[in-house]
Structure formats: structure tokens, C-alpha cells
Amino acid sequence: MKIRKTIVLLVFFTVYFSFGQTISKSNSVDFTIAFGSCNKQDNNQPFWKEILKNNPDVFVWGGDNIYGDSADMSKLARDYQTQNNNADYQKLKEQVPVMATWDDHDYGKNDRGAEWEMKKESQQSFLDFLGVAKEDVRRAQEGIYTSKVFKHTKGSIKVIILDTRYFRSPLLKDSTGNKRYVPHQNGKGTVLGKKQWLWLEDELKSSTADFHIIVSSIQFLSGEHGWECWANFPTEVERLKQLVINENVKNVIILSGDRHISEFSKINLPGLSYPLVDFTSSGLTHAYTKYIGEPNKYRIGEVISVPSFGILNFNFDANEVSMQIRGQNNSILQEITEEYAKK
């Protein structure tokens, strides 16, 4: 059996590029995904130019794309407009397709899920922000989940956007005060809800793509910290793992945000021929700079607690993906390379 490899690089130097310079794709890079989360619309936004230097084929918002935090939809619309008016973000949108999920602060209320009373109205504001057509299915469905297949002459990548807000059951507060939240027990609670689960199952079962990128606003693997995460709903975690295993879904990578830190988490699942990686990138305008540590049994490498964005470079010939946490001046702060199952 071929032994699969993970290469972890911690980069402690900064690589500088001239203003506006674009990095041309090398022969080993066939497709590039850029992503990020936690973006305050009124803050300085230094990364749009840096993201474009990587010549991405798509940019994915990972949630908290603005900080609206309001039941007033006119305020939410103004905040979205502020973001869309950012000149550097406009340049990115002109050159790169944009996909997005949302998290709590653009959903409208901190840590809220299905109980948020303004979720229907907020959904329309979110879709307006993205410029989604009035006849798009997302205008009529509950939740903002969607998918898109990106085709290359050498292979294909399916990006699946999950909605971890609209259907999510209320969180359980920790009565001991040691953590903010604790997991539901006895199979109670849901992250995705019945309709979205059925949709996701069909998206994965019917797919012929070579890679599957699942975008979740909250972390999937890391769950010991007591904040929002899939681990607050253990049955949902196992359901997704088993779905990927049982349907032999090709080469799944999970992208997440929310935490104001960036890190790589990885698990080797019995029955799966490749490692399942949860790549967290957060945040674009601010980070948890006072971070002093937290447990994560799935972590590989180190936690990055300065503003950053994520890059995934795909090599279809080698079936490798280089995942990079990049920061100021497009410097690589940390990088892992994963080898995946062949066709």
C-alpha cells in the first residue's frame, strides 16, 4: 500500500512582492482557491491585493463577511454596501468568482441559529450582497446552501457551501462556567436540518468530482475549546464522517472560519483512503492576538493568531493539495501538503 504523506512547513520569514505583482501559477499548480472569514467592513482590509497575487480561480467567504449584528435589515444592507464599496474588494470581484457562506455576525445575531427571528429577511440581504439573481433557487429555499463544480482539463473540484446557521439547534450553555457551550447528548440537536442533510447527501452521492471542498462557517474537527463548533452536536459530526466513508466520496477537504485564529486539523478515518483535513482561516481584518493556547487533539502545526487568509493550490497530476496560511505581504505563515487518492 502506498504511504500517504503530509508535509508541514512553519515559515518564519517574510517574502515580499512588489506592489500589485501577481504570482503566475507554476506548472505544479492547476487550480487555486482563496478563502477567509471574519471581516469588519469598517476596518482596514489589507488582504484583497495580497489574495490577488496568488492568482486564485475562486474566492470563498467563510462567514462573518461583515459585522452587522442587527435585526434592522436596513442597517445590515448598509453594512453590506460598505463592504461592496471597498475598492480593493471590487477589484477582486471583477477578476475572481466569489462564493460565500455566512456566520453569526452577518446572519444578524451572535451565536444564533434556527431561533433567529429575522433569518428569512437576513437571507435576502445576504443574497443581495452577493448579487444573486432573483430567479436563483436560493431566493426561494430556506437557507443559503449551494454548490458549484469548477472544471479543469486535468480534473474537477466541487465546492459545497453549507449553511450552519439557518437550521442549527440552540446551543447548550455550560452550567459550570468552565466553557461557553457543551455538547448535546443522546442524539439531540442538529447543525444542518433535515432538508439540508438530504441535499448534502445527494450532492456527495451523485458527484463525479475529483475533489470536494466543504465550506462550514464553524470548525468541524476542533471541539475541545467550548466555543461554537460541530462538536456541540456529536451525532452530526459522526453523520458527516460516515456519509463520506460509506459513499467513498473522493478527496474531501473542509474549510472553516469563526475563531479569529487559523490552524490545520486532521483525522485519519478507518475506511477512508485519505486524511480528512479541516483548514480554519480567520480572520481577514482582526485576530485573537491574546491567544495563549487551547487543546485540539487533531491539530497539526501551530495556531496562527494574527490576521491571515487561506490558499489551496491543487496539482491534479500528483493529486496533491498545498494548503497555506498567508499573512502580511503575502507571507506564508504555515503550510501543509497533502497527497490524495488517485482516480
Side-chain angles (χ1 to χ4, degrees):
M1 178 182 291
K2 188 174 182 179
I3 299 175
R4 307 212 172 275
K5 61 184 179 181
T6 302
I7 301 173
V8 183
L9 296 176
L10 297 177
V11 183
F12 297 102
F13 56 87
T14 302
V15 181
Y16 291 92
F17 299 89
S18 62
F19 178 81
Q21 179 180 350
T22 299
I23 303 172
S24 300
K25 282 187 172 62
S26 68
N27 292 333
S28 63
V29 178
D30 299 310
F31 194 91
T32 299
I33 295 175
F35 81 107
S37 65
C38 300
N39 177 80
K40 291 185 177 180
Q41 67 277 5
D42 295 315
N43 280 20
N44 179 44
Q45 298 179 26
F47 289 141
W48 302 120
K49 292 176 182 177
E50 308 307 317
I51 288 170
L52 281 174
K53 289 176 183 178
N54 293 275
N55 195 18
D57 295 282
V58 60
F59 174 77
V60 179
W61 284 107
D64 289 340
N65 313 316
I66 61 165
Y67 279 66
D69 295 290
S70 178
D72 181 350
M73 292 300 107
S74 62
K75 178 189 181 303
L76 210 61
R78 290 194 300 272
D79 289 337
Y80 278 130
Q81 192 59 52
T82 296
Q83 181 55 43
N84 270 328
N85 287 343
N86 182 284
D88 291 331
Y89 178 58
Q90 288 180 353
K91 290 178 182 177
L92 179 134
K93 290 196 300 176
E94 290 170 359
Q95 301 179 46
V96 182
V98 174
M99 299 183 71
T101 189
W102 58 9
D103 202 38
D104 51 349
H105 296 293
D106 42 353
Y107 187 52
K109 187 73 171 178
N110 187 51
D111 290 358
R112 290 299 192 274
E115 71 274 22
W116 178 230
E117 60 269 20
M118 297 300 293
K119 60 184 181 181
K120 291 184 179 180
E121 295 83 355
S122 181
Q123 177 170 333
Q124 298 306 314
S125 293
F126 172 84
L127 297 175
D128 290 344
F129 166 62
L130 294 178
V132 173
K134 297 299 181 183
E135 62 272 16
D136 190 285
V137 65
R138 284 170 289 175
R139 291 289 185 175
Q141 76 180 21
E142 293 184 309
I144 52 88
Y145 55 89
T146 190
S147 71
K148 183 175 182 178
V149 176
F150 294 88
K151 295 183 178 180
H152 186 276
T153 55
K154 296 181 181 180
S156 59
I157 298 169
K158 187 170 194 175
V159 178
I160 298 173
I161 302 290
L162 297 183
D163 186 334
T164 60
R165 289 289 158 192
Y166 200 98
F167 307 97
R168 198 216 65 207
S169 301
L171 299 164
L172 292 180
K173 292 185 178 180
D174 183 3
S175 60
T176 69
N178 294 325
K179 297 179 178 180
R180 178 173 288 186
Y181 301 115
V182 294
H184 283 264
Q185 301 298 324
N186 302 318
K188 293 183 178 180
T190 183
V191 174
L192 300 184
K194 291 181 180 180
K195 289 182 179 180
Q196 188 176 188
W197 266 116
L198 291 174
W199 171 84
L200 178 60
E201 289 169 359
D202 183 65
E203 288 289 314
L204 293 176
K205 289 178 181 179
S206 63
S207 178
T208 59
D210 299 295
F211 287 90
H212 296 84
I213 307 302
I214 298 179
V215 182
S216 166
S217 68
I218 55 175
Q219 288 184 307
F220 180 73
L221 288 179
S222 179
E224 300 165 71
H225 45 71
W227 304 98
E228 287 195 280
C229 57
W230 278 71
N232 289 320
F233 304 88
T235 304
E236 298 281 89
V237 174
E238 290 306 312
R239 183 172 179 175
L240 183 52
K241 288 179 181 177
Q242 290 306 311
L243 175 60
V244 172
I245 294 170
N246 294 341
E247 298 301 326
N248 194 26
V249 182
K250 290 182 181 178
N251 305 331
V252 173
I253 300 171
I254 297 173
L255 306 184
S256 59
D258 176 59
R259 296 297 320 288
H260 303 172
I261 58 172
S262 296
E263 65 178 341
F264 300 109
S265 303
K266 184 178 80 168
I267 187 173
N268 292 297
L269 296 172
L272 201 61
S273 60
Y274 57 87
L276 183 62
V277 173
D278 180 354
F279 180 1
T280 302
S281 180
S282 176
L284 288 167
T285 60
H286 58 291
Y288 185 17
T289 55
K290 295 182 180 180
Y291 173 86
I292 58 173
E294 69 180 32
N296 176 6
K297 60 185 176 182
Y298 301 113
R299 183 183 299 132
I300 55 174
E302 303 294 332
V303 167
I304 302 299
S305 57
V306 296
S308 64
F309 61 94
I311 292 290
L312 293 86
N313 287 320
F314 293 78
N315 180 331
F316 287 113
D317 290 327
N319 249 39
E320 288 185 345
V321 183
S322 170
M323 308 178 207
Q324 302 169 343
I325 301 171
R326 287 182 175 258
Q328 186 177 9
N329 298 308
N330 203 35
S331 58
I332 301 176
L333 305 178
Q334 192 166 183
E335 178 178 14
I336 67 170
T337 299
E338 291 287 349
E339 181 180 356
Y340 286 86
K342 296 286 186 180
K343 298 179 182 178

